[in-house]
Amino acid sequence: MKRQIFAAVLLTTMLAGLVPGDQAGYVAAIHPTMVNEAAPTILFADVSSASGLKIEREFSAEKRYLVETMGGGVAWLDYDGDGWLDAYLTNTPTIESAKKGRMPANRLWQNDRRGAFIDVTEKAGVGYRGWSMGASAADYDRDGDVDLYVTNLGANILYRNEGNGSFLDVTVRAGVGDERWSASSGWGDYDGDGDPDLFVANYVEYDLTRLPEFGRGRYCIFRGLEVLCGPRGMKGSGDTLYRNNGDGTFTDVSQAAGVADERGFFGLGCLWSDLDLDGDEDLFVTNDTQANYLYLNQGKGKFEEAGLLSGAALDINGKARAGMGIGAGDYDRDGRFDLVVTNFSDEAYAIFHNDGRGSFTDRAAVAGIGRATAPYLGWGVFLADFDNDGWPDIFGANGHVYPQVDRVAIGTSYRQRSLLFKNNGRGEFSQITGGLTEARSHRGAALGDYDNDGDLDLLLMDLDGQPILLQNRTPAIGNYLRVQAPTGSLVKLEAGDLRLVDEVRASGSYQSSSEPVAHFGLGGLKTVERVSVRLPGGKMVMRAGVATNQVLKIGDK
């Protein structure tokens, strides 16, 4: 009887994608040559070298301290307003390099419109040297220029775009200099007043002058290996919500809004989205080794935490996973936004299907990504339409935190390749390589059309190397429509029987900032019958008879 019970539990866990099952499944997932793929339906080319993007890098081969393995955020932003995406890359030292005074700088790279980038860091004044984790971009003062927020271990920085190619550090005046270990940040208009508000997910309390000893302690051992310590055994920091006052300053409303995380969970990722489709933005926060938060917007500046009740806080067995990155999209085209969350190795990615009314079900197993993602430790992630066929696909950036795992045969590795899953349109995904074959120490990932050809490209960071620029070269790419609108806008598209929905977001992934645009793949369609945009605050804007293969700009005036 006990064997039968154990077998049932094991089968359930395997179906959920939480353990690897047979070794062949592990091998097929780790080695891209074993993925069954015919002609490439989605294809990326690594153009990092030709792009000129680079960063001065310090990295620890052994990763003896937690702070040395959590950075690596990137951001797409059109800082000069020329219609071409520029790239911001965060950086961090190692403990040893910091002791020697070597603190590599963050870098801003200007798009030269010919496929390459020019380093404009010094002129722009954004070359911070310190323990940077990530960045997010939004026009917080609504002056037409995109601004930049940088999260750090230590005081965060808000750079106001001066409109002349330079930025000004306005952190103190704005009142957003959170001095804890901040991971991801995200902009959303939760109160619908038209001014982007700022959420900051904070990680753990970490004293650089009193570092835990490597491999010593209950939470410094993994599979019998001595590894870095944390985050378990450490104290969480709580999170912060800054309300935009509309005059260049912000007010910390974390406590009043109910999103301060008084339990001190280990926050890593955050995403603003109208998940219950009631007209205002909700907030999802991924927590490392602890339950995720789902804050449902109740209006009047209040949120209700509904993670456990929603089904999106824990795995199918009621266990908290190590939530890292977060992405959103309507993968089954039912009009509701679903969530994809990356987790630790042996835990698998989650696909939280939005069942409506604030309820979610993890369908990673039935969608075909459960077992395939189990060996991987994921970070930046997206639900996005990479071949413009009208169905959002899944991309995940991966890399382990412990280099020591390469010393033993446990079905995983330190450097890992990114994963790509094509949406089959039946609620299922097929794993494909898409040209993503190189194993790296991936962390942050940002999504955007940097070459303005109508498909989605990827910017990634290698924790132990240089940034990675992946150009979308999908052979049979479909038509598209891209909608630019204020942050927090909900966009619906109608064409015959086709109904698509997306949002303009300045949040998501992992410590990174994607292009704030609603992107729709349309296959062979040449005209969209109707585009409906719900602006923050509820105002509706309609456009009829819209031609495809263009960027449709919707203002808030």
Side-chain angles (χ1 to χ4, degrees):
M1 185 64 174
K2 289 183 178 179
R3 288 185 179 182
Q4 292 175 333
I5 294 174
F6 176 78
V9 171
L10 180 60
L11 178 61
T12 301
T13 308
M14 289 175 60
L15 288 174
L18 303 178
V19 298
D22 61 88
Q23 187 66 22
Y26 259 82
V27 174
I30 288 290
H31 297 284
T33 54
M34 296 192 68
V35 176
N36 186 14
E37 180 178 27
T41 52
I42 302 173
L43 183 64
F44 289 95
D46 188 335
V47 296
S48 308
S49 180
S51 75
L53 290 172
K54 60 183 179 180
I55 198 166
E56 179 187 359
R57 173 62 78 197
E58 295 277 359
F59 70 93
S60 163
E62 285 293 303
K63 300 292 183 295
R64 301 182 69 84
Y65 305 100
L66 183 63
V67 70
E68 296 177 334
T69 194
M70 302 303 293
V74 295
W76 285 124
L77 71 161
D78 181 10
Y79 90 98
D80 52 3
D82 66 351
W84 294 78
L85 289 176
D86 311 298
Y88 189 73
L89 312 172
T90 66
N91 212 340
T92 189
T94 65
I95 295 297
E96 290 304 314
S97 70
K99 289 178 179 178
K100 297 175 182 178
R102 296 199 308 268
M103 305 289 283
N106 299 341
R107 312 303 296 183
L108 176 64
W109 292 83
Q110 183 184 45
N111 194 326
D112 74 354
R113 312 184 195 183
R114 298 186 298 273
F117 292 80
I118 303 166
D119 189 345
V120 294
T121 308
E122 302 309 319
K123 178 183 177 182
V126 292
Y128 174 75
R129 296 177 183 270
W131 301 92
S132 284
M133 295 291 125
S136 61
D139 182 10
Y140 81 91
D141 53 4
R142 301 173 68 186
D143 64 353
D145 302 309
V146 64
D147 311 296
L148 183 66
Y149 190 74
V150 180
T151 56
N152 305 305
L153 170 56
N156 299 337
I157 304 171
L158 176 60
Y159 291 111
R160 187 183 70 199
N161 193 328
E162 298 295 276
N164 58 5
S166 69
F167 291 78
L168 181 65
D169 183 344
V170 296
T171 311
V172 174
R173 179 181 182 276
V176 292
D178 202 316
E179 297 187 357
R180 294 172 286 186
W181 181 348
S182 299
S184 294
S185 60
W187 299 87
D189 188 359
Y190 80 94
D191 52 4
D193 64 357
D195 299 315
D197 309 297
L198 175 64
F199 180 82
V200 181
N202 293 310
Y203 195 38
V204 298
E205 293 185 3
Y206 202 77
D207 188 346
L208 290 169
T209 67
R210 299 178 60 187
L211 294 167
E213 187 176 356
F214 176 84
R216 296 292 181 267
R218 177 183 177 186
Y219 300 109
C220 314
I221 303 295
F222 178 74
R223 299 291 186 88
L225 297 166
E226 293 184 357
V227 297
L228 60 87
C229 302
R232 288 181 175 175
M234 296 180 176
K235 186 177 180 180
S237 294
D239 301 324
T240 311
L241 174 60
Y242 295 107
R243 182 185 182 275
N244 192 329
N245 298 324
D247 59 0
T249 68
F250 293 77
T251 299
D252 184 343
V253 296
S254 313
Q255 294 284 347
V259 299
D261 178 24
E262 295 179 350
R263 288 178 285 182
F265 283 3
F266 309 140
L268 284 181
C270 62
L271 180 133
W272 290 101
S273 177
D274 186 3
L275 296 173
D276 53 7
L277 295 179
D278 65 350
D280 48 32
E281 288 192 287
D282 309 301
L283 177 64
F284 193 87
V285 182
T286 58
N287 292 308
D288 190 0
T289 74
Q290 295 165 321
N292 299 321
Y293 286 136
L294 172 59
Y295 295 108
L296 294 177
N297 195 331
Q298 304 299 299
K300 298 182 180 180
K302 302 289 185 179
F303 291 82
E304 178 183 338
E305 206 290 292
L308 291 176
L309 292 176
S310 74
L314 306 170
D315 71 14
I316 195 171
N317 298 314
K319 176 181 177 293
R321 287 181 273 189
M324 308 291 187
I326 171 70
D330 181 15
Y331 81 89
D332 57 353
R333 299 206 312 213
D334 64 356
R336 297 186 292 265
F337 295 114
D338 311 297
L339 302 172
V340 57
V341 175
T342 53
N343 299 296
F344 208 80
S345 60
D346 288 341
E347 292 182 343
Y349 291 12
I351 296 182
F352 292 115
H353 179 266
N354 192 333
D355 301 327
R357 299 184 179 181
S359 179
F360 292 82
T361 302
D362 186 358
R363 294 189 180 177
V366 296
I369 74 163
R371 191 175 70 172
T373 59
Y376 293 88
L377 198 163
W379 304 89
V381 66
F382 305 106
L383 264 171
D385 188 354
F386 292 108
D387 53 2
N388 286 348
D389 67 349
W391 296 93
D393 312 294
I394 294 176
F395 168 88
N398 304 295
H400 217 283
V401 293
Y402 306 135
Q404 294 77 17
V405 298
D406 287 339
R407 300 174 186 170
V408 292
I410 56 174
T412 191
S413 60
Y414 175 65
R415 290 179 176 80
Q416 300 176 355
R417 67 184 180 90
S418 295
L419 293 177
L420 184 63
F421 296 90
K422 177 174 169 52
N423 193 328
N424 293 332
R426 302 183 301 273
E428 300 175 350
F429 295 83
S430 295
Q431 185 181 1
I432 60 176
T433 61
L436 309 176
T437 59
E438 187 173 2
R440 306 279 287 269
S441 302
H442 301 101
R443 289 299 186 267
L447 191 68
D449 182 13
Y450 85 94
D451 51 6
N452 284 345
D453 64 353
D455 52 36
L456 295 170
D457 310 298
L458 292 162
L459 177 65
L460 315 176
M461 180 58 75
D462 182 349
L463 185 67
D464 296 341
Q466 292 299 312
I468 306 157
L469 180 60
L470 299 175
Q471 185 182 51
N472 193 330
R473 294 186 180 175
T474 299
I477 198 76
N479 294 324
Y480 67 92
L481 181 67
R482 295 163 62 76
V483 180
Q484 288 184 356
T487 301
S489 296
L490 177 72
V491 185
K492 294 183 179 180
L493 181 151
E494 301 174 35
D497 295 332
L498 181 65
R499 301 290 186 272
L500 300 178
V501 62
D502 199 1
E503 287 175 311
V504 179
R505 301 188 187 94
S507 60
S509 190
Y510 172 75
Q511 296 186 163
S512 298
S513 190
S514 296
E515 181 183 13
V517 63
H519 178 96
F520 297 96
L522 296 170
L525 285 178
K526 296 183 178 180
T527 304
V528 174
E529 294 174 9
R530 182 190 296 267
V531 176
S532 305
V533 181
R534 189 195 70 204
L535 301 173
K539 179 182 176 181
M540 295 296 300
V541 178
M542 306 286 188
R543 296 288 186 270
V546 179
T548 60
N549 298 330
Q550 67 161 313
V551 177
L552 179 64
K553 298 182 180 181
I554 304 292
D556 58 356
K557 305 299 184 193

